[in-house]
Each structure stands twice: as C-alpha cells, then as structure tokens.
Amino acid sequence: RLLRWSLVLGALYDLGFAAFMVLAPQVPTRALSLPLPGERFYLSLFAVLLSMLAVLYLVAAEDPRRYSAVVVVAAAGRCAGAAALALGAYGRPDLRGLWPLAAADLTFGLAHAIFWRGQR
C-alpha cells in the first residue's frame, strides 16, 4: 500500500511540474531561482517526457508486482536524477534551486526502493 502511494504521489508531483513547465514556466523558475532555457521547445519536450514517466508510475501503482521493472527503474531513476541535480547545483549558487528538486527526487527514489523491498 505504501509503495502504491509513493508511486502515485511521485506521478502527481511530476504531472504538476510538467503542467507548470508548459502553462506557467515562470512560477517554478521564480520559486526555485532557476533560469529558463533559451527555447520554450525544451520545456515542452521535457514536460512530455515527465508526463510519460508519471503515467508509467500510475500504471505500476495499480499492480506493482506485475510492473516490478517500472518500480525498480522508478527508484533507480529518481536516485540518479537526484544525483544529477545535486551535481548540477554543487558549487553553483546561481543554481541553488536545484537542491530542493534533488531532495524531492531522492525522497521519492528511496521511498520507492524501501517500500518495494518491504513488499517483496
């Protein structure tokens, strides 16, 4: 049950972020003090990919045993994303807004992994 909730919450987090990137990109960039990319095309493409991941998380939440590969990739991918965001922010005060994103990804990644392990 906890695994399902972590996957659903992760999906909603990603879908919310994807929506902001397309509909109001200035909101997260201001809140996190991050620069916008030069072309809006990149935000739209990233939003599509993030939405695809979110849908996969929702599918996996319905039957985590059947979609165990998605759960494993979700946990590993979130942790890898956290590492990438932290490396991007390290030593860059202008990118300090990446730290909360890294923390969120690490939290979701560890939750998925711990709850998956507890379910097996």
Side-chain angles (χ1 to χ4, degrees):
R1 179 176 287 238
L2 291 174
L3 174 60
R4 289 181 176 167
W5 276 109
S6 74
L7 290 167
V8 169
L9 289 176
L12 293 175
Y13 172 82
D14 287 347
L15 287 171
F17 226 89
F20 271 118
M21 283 191 281
V22 172
L23 302 173
Q26 68 282 1
V27 173
T29 58
R30 263 193 236 127
L32 298 168
S33 300
L34 295 171
L36 281 170
E39 298 288 330
R40 255 186 100 118
F41 160 79
Y42 294 109
L43 282 178
S44 297
L45 181 61
F46 189 62
V48 167
L49 295 172
L50 203 53
S51 297
M52 290 169 55
L53 278 174
V55 170
L56 284 174
Y57 295 164
L58 292 174
V59 169
E62 278 297 310
D63 190 350
R65 289 189 192 275
R66 181 175 181 191
Y67 298 102
S68 60
V70 175
V71 176
V72 171
V73 170
R78 290 280 193 183
C79 291
L85 290 164
L87 285 171
Y90 184 75
R92 297 278 312 266
D94 59 318
L95 296 179
R96 68 185 176 281
L98 294 179
W99 288 112
L101 299 177
D105 266 5
L106 184 61
T107 300
F108 280 121
L110 292 176
H112 300 336
I114 291 166
F115 297 149
W116 169 244
R117 195 169 159 90
Q119 185 177 24
R120 292 180 65 211

